[in-house]
Amino acid sequence: MGTELDCDVLVIGGGVVGLTTAVVLAERGVRVRLWTRDPVERTTSAVAGALWWPYRIEPVVPVRAWALRSLEVYEELAARPEATGVRMVEGVLGETGLDEVGAWAAARLPGLRVATVEEYPLGSGVRARLPLIDMPVHLPWLRERFLAAGGVVEARTVADLSETGVPVVVNCSGLGARELVPDPSVRPVRGQLVVVENPGVRTWTVSTGADGSMAYLFPQPGRRLVLGGTAEEDVWSPEPDPGVAEAIVRRCAVLCPAVAGARVLEHRVGLRPARDAVRLERVPLPGGRVLVHNYGHGGAGVTVAWGCAEEAAVLAAR
Ligand SMILES: Cc1cc2nc3c(=O)[nH]c(=O)nc-3n(C[C@H](O)[C@H](O)[C@H](O)COP(=O)(O)OP(=O)(O)OC[C@H]3O[C@@H](n4cnc5c(N)ncnc54)[C@H](O)[C@@H]3O)c2cc1C
């Protein structure tokens, strides 16, 4: 490193945050390179379920704005679901009242209403039509859109943010920021999922138990049903735990008994890049160069990706 690269902006990170940021920049006419340590299918982003809904992400006020902007984009992308992996799907958020959804979202969520007892027998819930994103389709689609806009993707691991030789660096390294920045306030929140053959579930459901445990069912194309989930703070293990997988299926079977016998297709584990607050910030570097941070999106990087990408692009241009 240290040599001049033929680009205006270097984006570090090829998860949903880095790819979306790179797309926004490249489509504004900026010459962008993206470096990623891992191929898209090995990122945390590839693990996500992925429902549009803020979860384990701070600070509340900007998160709402980033999420609503992303909602607009996902609604547009849902017009071409086979290509983009984005669909608008009906479902129920359990243990939630209309008042708890919050005025910020209530006015914008398509079809928001109280769920009927048939739709959610376990208690109170709200029903809405939200973006549900199939990440194994969406991430490669983002990469292709970036390449079509003139972007370049390279498999490279960055060791030092100050030695890239590029005028503007945008750091979208997720949990990698812990070592790269370095920023010890970025911590893993481990999540495990089980993907089963869908026994006929058409809508999504999210339910939170009295002990705080989560159960959710996200139907994806190709007869895949994503079952979740867990959130274990400061746990680094990338290996699926069979006992945890059994517990996930058991909790989901309370919501939908047919999943108890469904064939397991895949186990997924991801480490959410959690932080007290998303870091979206411009830092001047010596020699007039600029570093823009865009990391720490916790459990909702997909939910806020477009809002954050647009803000990062503005910070990178000033
Ligand atoms: C089980 C689970 C379920 C989830 N469900 C949802 C959901 O329903 N909705 C939602 O919105 N979110 C969900 N999330 C959260 C979401 O997945 C994350 O917030 C999001 O993926 C973070 O994206 P990212 O691009 O910042 O990080 P990542 O996807 O981790 O990407 C980081 C990138 O940086 C690269 N990198 C790191 N260090 C370096 C380095 N030194 N040099 C070069 N490259 C580097 C990596 O290779 C990778 O390409 C879920 C997460 C998990 C684990």
Side-chain angles (χ1 to χ4, degrees):
M1 277 186 277
T3 54
E4 292 297 314
L5 284 170
D6 185 25
C7 66
D8 307 316
V9 175
L10 174 67
V11 172
I12 300 171
V16 70
V17 173
L19 282 169
T20 308
T21 302
V23 164
V24 169
L25 283 163
E27 291 183 354
R28 289 179 183 188
V30 179
R31 295 177 315 143
V32 187
R33 254 168 214 264
L34 183 150
W35 286 357
T36 178
R37 186 189 58 202
D38 306 291
V40 279
E41 60 278 7
R42 296 240 309 276
T43 61
T44 300
S45 302
V47 173
L51 184 70
W52 178 94
W53 187 253
Y55 167 71
R56 281 184 177 258
I57 183 168
E58 297 282 349
V60 168
V61 172
V63 162
R64 288 172 177 169
W66 297 328
L68 288 177
R69 174 60 190 138
S70 305
L71 175 62
E72 276 178 2
V73 177
Y74 289 130
E75 284 174 330
E76 288 166 24
L77 298 182
R80 290 174 296 128
E82 283 80 14
T84 64
V86 182
R87 290 175 172 72
M88 297 298 292
V89 180
E90 299 260 345
V92 173
L93 281 173
E95 294 71 46
T96 309
L98 272 185
D99 49 334
E100 290 161 277
V101 171
W104 73 275
R108 269 296 281 120
L109 297 190
L112 181 72
R113 62 170 171 77
V114 174
T116 64
V117 179
E118 291 73 32
E119 288 164 348
Y120 194 67
L122 299 189
S124 62
V126 294
R127 184 155 166 129
R129 216 162 141 253
L130 300 183
L132 186 61
I133 297 129
D134 188 15
M135 297 307 282
V137 172
H138 187 61
L139 292 170
W141 175 81
L142 280 174
R143 187 182 50 203
E144 291 309 309
R145 181 165 160 178
F146 173 56
L147 296 176
V152 176
V153 176
E154 289 170 311
R156 296 276 295 260
T157 300
V158 183
D160 184 340
L161 283 172
S162 64
E163 289 184 10
T164 58
V166 177
V168 180
V169 174
V170 186
N171 171 25
C172 306
S173 57
L175 191 57
R178 189 180 164 96
E179 302 291 329
L180 183 58
V181 174
D183 180 354
S185 70
V186 193
R187 299 180 299 116
V189 175
R190 182 183 184 276
Q192 186 167 331
L193 306 174
V194 183
V195 184
V196 299
E197 202 167 75
N198 191 340
V201 176
R202 297 268 168 272
T203 58
W204 53 266
T205 306
V206 178
S207 172
T208 310
D211 60 355
S213 64
M214 277 183 304
Y216 53 82
L217 299 91
F218 295 161
Q220 293 289 4
R223 295 202 60 201
R224 286 171 299 138
L225 181 64
V226 178
L227 307 180
T230 57
E232 300 168 89
E233 292 187 14
D234 298 311
V235 177
W236 285 91
S237 168
E239 298 305 322
D241 178 324
V244 169
E246 273 173 34
I248 290 171
V249 174
R250 208 167 38 242
R251 288 201 302 276
C252 290
V254 174
L255 297 163
C256 173
V259 304
R263 189 160 69 94
V264 173
L265 302 176
E266 188 191 345
H267 296 278
R268 289 189 198 167
V269 175
L271 305 179
R272 300 175 181 90
R275 198 172 182 271
D276 286 348
V278 171
R279 188 166 188 200
L280 188 41
E281 183 187 344
R282 176 185 160 103
V283 180
L285 295 181
R289 288 180 300 121
V290 167
L291 172 61
V292 175
H293 293 293
N294 185 10
Y295 67 85
H297 302 82
V302 184
T303 303
V304 298
W306 289 91
C308 289
E310 289 177 357
E311 200 166 314
V314 171
L315 294 174
R318 271 204 323 230

